[in-house]
Amino acid sequence: QFGGVGTRCADALEGQVAKVTRVDAGRDLAQVLTALKPDVVFNALHGKWGEDGCCAAVLETLQIPYTHSGVLASALAMHKEKSKAIFRAAHIPVAESKLVELEMVATQHPMPPPYVVKPVAEGSSVGVHIVMSSSNGPAHLVLEQRDLFGTHAMVERFIPGKELTCAVVGDVALGVIDIVSKSSTW
């Protein structure tokens, strides 16, 4: 359903461009866009399908220009293990991590706590669990979220601090946003 960030983006674009058409991205997206014949698509989708390169692939197949990163960049950015491999190759420091079978995460500490358990290919904070030294482990949580994790989870050394995000357009860094969960204790 259309809402949230998409609504705010469409509101901001109205009056700035010739015409804004709001589209809910469903399984019929290719058919809807083929009928609309837009000059450009402003991709305000978040998470899987919107950020993992799938929507971009549809738009490229239809030869419709769009905002957002391309197919490969999006797919690599969404896959945490592949992203880390690229960062390491560029000598960018990353937190120690490893892929671990979900059942192992559920039955034992795969590394000394504190550590973070997260899906390998989900949005930045989807399914993230912080396991502190006093914890018995996230067993019941990760197994209940098997649809998010699949067969493996990324287990990563916990590094306390703020979660910040910043969009970059060309060579210009836009405003930095501090991401704080409603349930955050950090």
Side-chain angles (χ1 to χ4, degrees):
Q1 186 171 356
F2 200 83
V5 173
T7 296
R8 291 191 297 277
C9 290
D11 290 347
L13 288 169
E14 284 181 337
Q16 303 297 316
V17 295
K19 181 181 176 188
V20 173
T21 303
R22 299 166 192 239
V23 174
D24 281 330
R27 292 186 181 276
D28 62 344
L29 181 61
Q31 292 85 357
V32 170
L33 292 175
T34 298
L36 286 173
K37 298 181 175 90
D39 294 326
V40 65
V41 169
F42 187 96
N43 179 358
L45 298 172
H46 187 69
K48 268 193 173 177
W49 203 83
E51 289 181 294
D52 65 1
C54 292
C55 182
V58 169
L59 294 167
E60 287 193 15
T61 299
L62 296 174
Q63 299 180 332
I64 299 172
Y66 58 93
T67 63
H68 204 275
S69 299
V71 176
L72 181 58
S74 297
L76 290 172
M78 187 64 96
H79 195 284
K80 294 170 183 69
E81 181 183 25
K82 289 179 176 34
S83 294
K84 282 188 169 210
I86 292 168
F87 299 150
R88 283 186 197 100
H91 306 290
I92 298 171
V94 295
E96 170 195 355
S97 64
K98 58 184 173 179
L99 289 185
V100 180
E101 288 185 18
L102 206 57
E103 284 71 21
M104 181 182 174
V105 174
T107 59
Q108 58 186 314
H109 289 296
M111 70 173 51
Y115 59 87
V116 180
V117 178
K118 54 178 82 171
V120 178
E122 274 290 344
S124 61
S125 59
V126 175
V128 173
H129 302 283
I130 299 173
V131 180
M132 301 308 288
S133 298
S134 60
S135 175
N136 291 329
H140 65 286
L141 298 173
V142 296
L143 292 178
E144 290 172 9
Q145 295 179 316
R146 190 179 296 273
D147 57 318
L148 290 176
F149 284 90
T151 60
H152 289 76
M154 174 171 276
V155 177
E156 180 178 71
R157 174 72 42 226
F158 175 72
I159 300 173
K162 293 180 174 270
E163 181 179 0
L164 304 172
T165 188
C166 178
V168 178
V169 178
D171 292 333
V172 178
L174 304 179
V176 177
I177 299 171
D178 186 4
I179 302 171
V180 180
S181 166
K182 289 180 182 179
S183 62
S184 176
T185 58
W186 314 113

